Amino acid sequence: MIRILYEDKGLVVCEKPVGVLSSPEPGKRRDMPTLLQKQTGAYRIDVIHRLDQPVGGVMVYSKSDRVTPGLYRQMAGHHFIKEYLAVVCGVPAQPAGTWTDWLLKDRQRCKSRTVRPGTPGAKEAQLTYRLLSTAQTPQGALSLLKVRLHTGRTHQIRVQFSSRGLPLLGDIRYGSKAPCSPALWSHRLALTHPVTGKPIDVTCPPPDSWPWSLFAE
């Protein structure tokens, strides 16, 4: 069962489990729209934004053609508030900050990297982070961060932190060797209902399992 955090006739805000696809892909099973359609009985489920398959947490889906265009406009205009929790290897030089980079997506390798501003095909990416806590482990220091995205680029958080020597714990693709899923969690999503104008602000805590349990207090 998918955990429903908020639902009305037009949309549903829910917790995507780690390992489940946020949108359908040919030849693959267990995607959120299919699961939500079965669970809620909705006639349609429209994908508004995406999370990587290994990442879990709060997401919003539309259930109505009256709601979908308005959610798309909010997302395209960066009017969603999207906050994540991340566990990275190491400790940032500053306890808080805003980072702006240019990211170039390599479609063949399904990977992104930082490049010089103005590189053909590159897109600007910006985030703000704040250090919440640190923990010492046999593998070295780990940091729990709250991250707010101001843009939504492919693998943005993973790439921007990795490029500064702070790969997400378990993110093998971008530099970590820890045997776990990338320690990234969609923690908060805030938006305005496109039809009613009602503000919707939902938070979703990460699992109790490691490495989140290191910062349980």
Side-chain angles (χ1 to χ4, degrees):
M1 293 284 289
I2 301 299
R3 183 183 174 205
I4 304 297
L5 305 172
Y6 172 88
E7 184 179 13
D8 60 28
K9 293 182 179 180
L11 58 81
V12 56
V13 182
C14 56
E15 177 185 332
K16 183 186 94 66
V18 171
V20 176
L21 294 166
S22 59
S23 59
E25 292 185 15
K28 294 188 177 182
R29 303 173 62 185
R30 282 179 57 80
D31 63 82
M32 288 295 292
T34 300
L35 295 174
L36 284 172
Q37 197 165 21
K38 291 179 180 178
Q39 184 170 325
T40 65
Y43 175 74
R44 61 186 293 168
I45 296 289
D46 290 338
V47 178
I48 305 301
H49 62 128
R50 289 170 172 79
L51 288 178
D52 295 335
Q53 186 174 356
V55 179
V58 62
M59 294 190 70
V60 61
Y61 288 88
S62 173
K63 297 164 56 182
S64 166
D65 56 5
R66 294 182 63 207
V67 169
T68 299
L71 290 179
Y72 279 152
R73 285 193 295 271
Q74 287 186 55
M75 182 188 66
H78 307 302
H79 299 309
F80 280 7
I81 295 176
K82 295 188 286 185
E83 292 183 349
Y84 295 78
L85 295 176
V87 178
V88 301
C89 303
V91 181
Q94 301 295 329
T98 298
W99 293 341
T100 301
D101 295 295
W102 287 78
L103 305 186
L104 183 64
K105 183 177 179 180
D106 184 336
R107 297 185 181 279
Q108 290 186 335
R109 300 175 62 194
C110 194
K111 192 174 180 179
S112 295
R113 58 188 174 91
T114 57
V115 294
R116 292 181 178 180
T119 298
K123 295 182 179 180
E124 187 178 36
Q126 187 179 84
L127 61 76
T128 299
Y129 76 90
R130 179 164 61 91
L131 176 63
L132 300 179
S133 184
T134 60
Q136 296 296 328
T137 73
Q139 294 76 34
L142 301 177
S143 297
L144 175 66
L145 307 173
K146 179 178 286 187
V147 183
R148 178 177 289 194
L149 282 182
H150 302 296
T151 54
R153 309 306 182 196
T154 300
H155 300 170
Q156 179 178 336
I157 295 175
R158 299 163 67 179
V159 176
Q160 288 194 268
F161 279 95
S162 176
S163 69
R164 290 166 171 84
L166 299 165
L168 267 64
L169 185 71
D171 193 359
I172 297 174
R173 180 171 294 181
Y174 291 102
S176 173
K177 297 181 180 179
C180 63
S181 298
L184 183 63
W185 185 262
S186 176
H187 173 64
R188 179 187 174 210
L189 183 63
L191 56 110
T192 301
H193 197 293
V195 175
T196 67
K198 176 182 177 180
I200 299 172
D201 194 333
V202 179
T203 59
C204 180
D208 296 331
S209 57
W210 189 90
W212 308 106
S213 58
L214 292 171
F215 308 96
E217 293 183 0

